[in-house]
Amino acid sequence: DTEVTQTPKHLVMGMTNKKSLKCEQHMGHRAMYWYKQKAKKPPELMFVYSYEKLSINESVPSRFSPECPNSSLLNLHLHALQPEDSALYLCASSPLRGSNQPQHFGDGTRLSIL
Amino acid sequence: GENVEQHPSTLSVQEGDSAVIKCTYSDSASNYFPWYKQELGKGPQLIIDIRSNVGEKKDQRIAVTLNKTAKHFSLHITETQPEDSAVYFCAASQNQAGTALIFGKGTTLSVSS
């Protein structure tokens, strides 16, 4: 069982909908990440939060809006998405910010845009 | 920036055989090399990692080797079992603020019994 929990597991939404993805970890990690993964491809980094502050935004469109309410929670707010945004969205956490810290992934939210 | 190449893209072995997956990286400043296993419908699971001050690391049936001079690192799985079937990703990163894990394109390993 993964120690990073993501909800929902599956989400289908229209292009005009607003929805949120949620991620939770209780390992005391201080860095949290959002990744996007298309089928048969490696994960692509979207955002990094360190000590609840956004530290990396990999030029992600504004229709994706991250939020880190506290050190255990990470949200990804979605609005006006496009069909090409259909993908597996993965959350990860690591003890400290820094790409050489082990990152632990959740099982993701499978998002389909109609 | 960093580029990670991973080979082969698919690998089929018989149960009990060994499997080797190889990666090369381009940036000599990279110093951390994790390997992830991703099963169908699951997120990537960290299975082993190695840092640049170490040449080899083992954990039961899996081992990773690193050749810093050649910028190569490899995953070795011995006595493969059907449950080893998955997609394996290598990655590389630097200990610098603002850098990220750079993943290889993945290897689909199939172990037949």
Side-chain angles (χ1 to χ4, degrees), chain B residues 60-89:
Chain B
Q60 300 183 338
R61 294 187 297 108
I62 60 173
V64 57
T65 58
L66 172 64
N67 182 328
K68 284 175 56 179
T69 304
K71 296 183 195 160
H72 289 171
F73 58 113
S74 299
L75 178 71
H76 303 253
I77 306 174
T78 59
E79 300 173 27
T80 54
Q81 301 167 4
E83 51 265 38
D84 293 328
S85 297
V87 179
Y88 291 80
F89 292 102

